Amino acid sequence: KTDKKFNYPQIAKIGFATWLLLHFLGGSLKINGIRLYDTILIPIFAEPLNIFRYDQLLHAFCYFVFVFFVYSIVKNNLKEDIKKGVTLFIIVLIAEGIGAINEIIELSTVIFFHTQGVGNYYNNALDLVFNLIGALIGSIIIINKKNKI
């Protein structure tokens, strides 16, 4: 329903569908007994950071896609002569706020269900970092192609 109002770009809709599939695979698929979300793709940093994992890739990808939705929603409320840096700041800040809410929801599952299934402090903080990386990359593309999105 909201697509009719905000006219989301194809990259947002296809990206979200792709992320959703990858998200479900990440939580349910195990390779050599290791959940895909916990798989280290490129061993850049070891414990306690465990960078670069599938989970971090998906966080970056999700928020890369998400800023296209955010931009579609806010672009009609932005002044036409607004500076590119201000546009980038606004859409990244909104995306990061939504990412923080997601991490709060994950924390609530740890508290209320006494589980560590979503990770520890490092996982939480790194999720926010990779959300930011994805949002920045997407926002840079948006501000450089502003009239085409």
Side-chain angles (χ1 to χ4, degrees), residues 42-71:
I42 303 169
I44 299 172
F45 292 107
E47 287 285 341
L49 300 177
N50 290 325
I51 296 175
F52 182 62
R53 292 181 331 187
Y54 179 86
D55 176 48
Q56 296 154 349
L57 173 67
L58 247 50
H59 272 271
F61 179 72
C62 177
Y63 285 85
F64 166 83
V65 168
F66 206 80
V67 293
F68 288 90
F69 285 108
V70 169
Y71 179 70

Side-chain angles (χ1 to χ4, degrees), residues 63 66-67 70 85-101 131-132 135-136 139:
Y63 285 85
F66 206 80
V67 293
V70 169
V86 174
T87 300
L88 182 140
F89 181 74
I90 290 168
I91 58 180
V92 167
L93 194 61
I94 292 169
E96 279 297 288
I98 293 166
I101 291 169
N131 292 354
L132 177 62
L136 284 170
S139 296

